[in-house]
Amino acid sequence: MSSETLSTILFLVVVAVTIGITFWASRNTKSAADYYAGGRNFSGFQNGLAISGDYMSAASFLGISGAIALSGYDGFLYSIGFLVAWLIALLLVAELLRNSGRFTMADQLAYRMRQRPVRTAAATSTVVVSIFYLLAQMVGAGALVTLLLGIEGEWAIRLTIIAVGLLMIFYVVVGGMKGTTWVQIVKAVLLMTGTILITVLVLAEFDFNLSDLLGAAASNSGKGDAFLEPGLKYGINTTSQIDFLSLGLALVLGTAGLPHILIRFYTVPTAKDARTSVNWAIGLIGSFYLMTLVLGFGAAALLNVGPDGDVAASGGNLASPLLAEEVGGGAGSNGGAILLAFIAAVAFATILAVVAGLTLTSASSVAHDLYANVWKKGKASETDEVRVARIAAFAIGGVAIVLSIFAQDLNIAFLVALAFAVAASGNLPALVMNLFWKKFNTRGATWSIYGGIITCVGLVFFSPTVSGPTGVFWTSVDFSWFPLANPGIISIPAGFLFGILGTLTSREPEAEDAYSELEVRALTGAGAEKATVH
């Protein structure tokens, strides 16, 4: 049996299991709390698994191992950045957000501020970040599935994107948070199982001697000792070094502002469970990213990573699947075909889980923030709110499908880095200042969110990523006056600066008066499940 046939069978098994989970979860989804937060019935361990499933995207599983295989030490820095990011989430966000909010990021901001402007800004930011991330996942899905199944042609990629999009809408509309969470838990178990298996097999090739593995990787890469030292990719000149610092800031700070990660803290019953879930997530995610060290350098040691090889041709995205095939017995062997098919199915499950989480986040924000609290001014019934959330899931899913079809040639890493930069520039400053600054007010929150987003997206538009010789949109014209590919080093401080300026140029006594109450709730969780509007 060929690897393509095995992959197809395993894909169908994954889809069937997740559909079954979604139908099972739908029977217990009755209230708004069930739809948005899974009834707050998940344990810390379960939520930790789900957070891991939400966070370890296809970009992590496929992209980072590929970056290490092609760039060595500099590629591994991505793993470090993603892992360190969770310390920020744990120390600044997890417990306090769980206690002071209810369903969405905007609940925490709107508690002591004017509802309509703050919720509108937060919902806008949520949708922008989610769309960028959705595009990255769905474009990756089209490329990955068609390559691994041996399907060719533009229409095959489009049909794959449409199929992933329809599954994503189904999970969200039918299963809500409960269904989406269980899909993410299954995906996390599959991903960790597959990664551990490949890691053990790679280490077995070198008698479990990491030094021998690194030596073989350096030798086979054609770059020698430079492959194991910093600077191969980001040490070319001063601009590239600053660009990496900017990217690192976006990755480390962006996690604590990603909307689909933030809403996961609302699915547990207590603040203690929120801390427990983040601790489990750190352990699982940390273990995974450490194993990417073995996957990446294993691919460099055992595969052709030269410019004429399949790893480079795929931008590194096929490093893990091809490595699985190699350690399973090589191309044409049964073991190789089985492992390749299994890793392909795991990658597909990874994409399904992440896009479902992103769509649910956007739909929740549209229904809970815009419809229920901005348009209906808090007077919408729970039934109407959930109905609007399901309609929003259809709309957002449809937009994501259409944009993904036209974005097939966009660089996936560019989209992911942009999503992290927007989250770090717009969401994180507003959340942090609202929690720790008594004078922070409505104008400060809206200026912080809009200012951070506009600065981030604007600088990217005028960066070498968009126009010029390396541009993904225009190569014939060059208006890239901003030299960095990632704007985080400028846009993140700008988000804080706009928030400070907005606060200092306005006066809102009611926001200051409510701060003490918010502080007590954030630290104790008293009344967190009740109305969050002051």
Side-chain angles (χ1 to χ4, degrees):
M1 186 181 295
S2 68
S3 61
E4 288 86 356
T5 304
L6 278 171
S7 296
T8 303
I9 292 172
L10 286 176
F11 280 173
L12 294 175
V13 169
V14 167
V15 170
V17 169
T18 53
I19 287 176
I21 289 171
T22 305
F23 275 124
W24 168 76
S26 68
R27 295 183 300 175
N28 299 312
T29 301
K30 298 178 175 64
S31 66
D34 290 332
Y35 189 83
Y36 293 137
R40 298 184 190 271
N41 289 325
F42 288 99
S43 68
F45 172 65
Q46 290 172 333
N47 197 47
L49 275 173
I51 290 174
S52 304
D54 222 351
Y55 190 67
M56 295 184 294
S57 66
S60 298
F61 180 48
L62 301 175
I64 291 179
S65 59
I68 296 172
L70 297 176
S71 304
Y73 182 97
D74 281 11
F76 185 55
L77 291 176
Y78 276 91
S79 297
I80 302 301
F82 280 123
L83 177 55
V84 171
W86 271 103
L87 298 178
I88 306 296
L90 175 62
L91 295 173
L92 288 181
V93 174
E95 181 181 350
L96 301 179
L97 187 70
R98 155 63 185 70
N99 289 344
S100 56
R102 193 181 182 196
F103 295 139
T104 65
M105 177 187 77
D107 284 337
Q108 190 257 19
L109 294 172
Y111 181 79
R112 65 187 186 101
M113 299 177 188
R114 297 198 303 275
Q115 296 289 298
R116 301 184 77 177
V118 169
R119 287 191 183 275
T120 302
T124 300
S125 178
T126 295
V127 172
V128 169
V129 173
S130 297
I131 288 293
F132 281 131
Y133 219 130
L134 269 174
L135 283 177
Q137 299 302 317
M138 294 179 69
V139 169
L144 173 72
V145 174
T146 50
L147 280 170
L148 294 176
L149 296 185
I151 303 172
E152 296 181 357
E154 186 176 324
W155 276 103
I157 296 177
R158 291 181 177 179
L159 289 174
T160 301
I161 289 173
I162 292 171
V164 171
L166 292 176
L167 277 170
M168 165 183 80
I169 293 170
F170 169 78
Y171 296 144
V172 175
V173 170
V174 177
M177 178 57 85
K178 285 189 177 181
T180 300
T181 298
W182 280 109
V183 168
Q184 289 163 344
I185 289 172
V186 169
K187 168 260 170 131
V189 171
L190 285 174
L191 181 60
M192 290 302 292
T193 301
T195 306
I196 290 170
L197 176 60
I198 303 305
T199 298
V200 170
L201 290 175
V202 169
L203 289 174
E205 293 280 335
F206 297 93
D207 296 323
F208 294 92
N209 188 318
L210 189 60
S211 179
D212 288 349
L213 167 61
L214 295 177
S219 176
N220 193 51
S221 70
K223 301 178 178 68
D225 290 341
F227 192 71
L228 305 178
E229 299 171 356
L232 192 61
K233 182 175 182 180
Y234 295 108
I236 300 171
N237 51 43
T238 303
T239 300
S240 69
Q241 292 172 347
I242 296 174
D243 206 3
F244 178 71
L245 177 62
S246 186
L247 173 63
L249 281 173
L251 295 180
V252 170
L253 298 178
T255 297
L258 288 174
H260 68 294
I261 298 297
L262 295 177
I263 66 167
R264 292 238 54 90
F265 299 132
Y266 296 134
T267 63
V268 291
T270 67
K272 180 181 178 182
D273 288 315
R275 291 194 303 272
T276 301
S277 63
V278 176
N279 287 333
W280 273 107
I282 288 175
L284 293 166
I285 293 168
S287 301
F288 169 78
Y289 283 125
L290 285 176
M291 287 188 286
T292 61
L293 173 74
V294 177
L295 297 184
F297 284 109
L302 299 173
L303 302 176
N304 179 5
V305 291
D308 59 334
D310 290 336
V311 175
S314 67
N317 289 332
L318 289 182
S320 290
L322 292 174
L323 179 63
E325 182 180 49
E326 180 65 28
V327 296
S333 67
N334 290 333
I338 291 171
L339 272 183
L340 174 61
F342 177 64
I343 294 301
V346 168
F348 188 59
T350 295
I351 291 168
L352 290 179
V354 174
V355 295
L358 288 163
T359 307
L360 177 64
T361 303
S362 298
S364 298
S365 190
V366 169
H368 182 64
D369 297 325
L370 295 181
Y371 172 76
N373 287 288
V374 173
W375 186 19
K376 289 292 186 179
K377 301 180 181 179
K379 297 179 181 178
S381 68
E382 285 196 353
T383 302
D384 287 343
E385 201 174 322
V386 172
R387 177 175 53 82
V388 170
R390 287 176 166 141
I391 294 171
F394 271 104
I396 293 165
V399 169
I401 290 171
V402 172
L403 291 178
S404 299
I405 288 174
F406 289 104
Q408 290 176 35
D409 296 329
L410 287 184
N411 183 277
I412 297 173
F414 156 69
L415 292 168
V416 171
L418 182 55
F420 271 80
V422 172
S425 305
N427 294 345
L428 185 65
L431 288 171
V432 170
M433 286 190 284
N434 189 47
L435 283 168
F436 299 106
W437 189 17
K438 183 177 181 179
K439 293 184 180 295
F440 194 59
N441 56 28
T442 302
R443 182 185 289 182
T446 53
W447 280 27
S448 178
I449 293 172
Y450 289 131
I453 293 174
I454 292 170
T455 302
C456 181
V457 176
L459 290 178
V460 168
F461 184 78
F462 292 108
S463 76
T465 308
V466 173
S467 67
T470 59
V472 296
F473 291 103
W474 296 281
T475 54
S476 57
V477 293
D478 189 353
F479 46 83
S480 57
W481 56 263
F482 182 68
L484 305 180
N486 192 287
I489 198 169
I490 303 295
S491 60
I492 296 171
F496 281 98
L497 179 61
F498 279 117
I500 293 169
L501 290 175
T503 301
L504 296 179
T505 56
S506 65
R507 175 84 172 140
E508 195 175 338
E510 58 271 26
E512 291 186 42
D513 294 341
Y515 177 77
S516 296
E517 193 175 331
L518 173 67
E519 189 175 32
V520 170
R521 175 171 290 194
L523 292 173
T524 66
E529 288 78 18
K530 300 176 182 178
T532 57
V533 181
H534 189 269

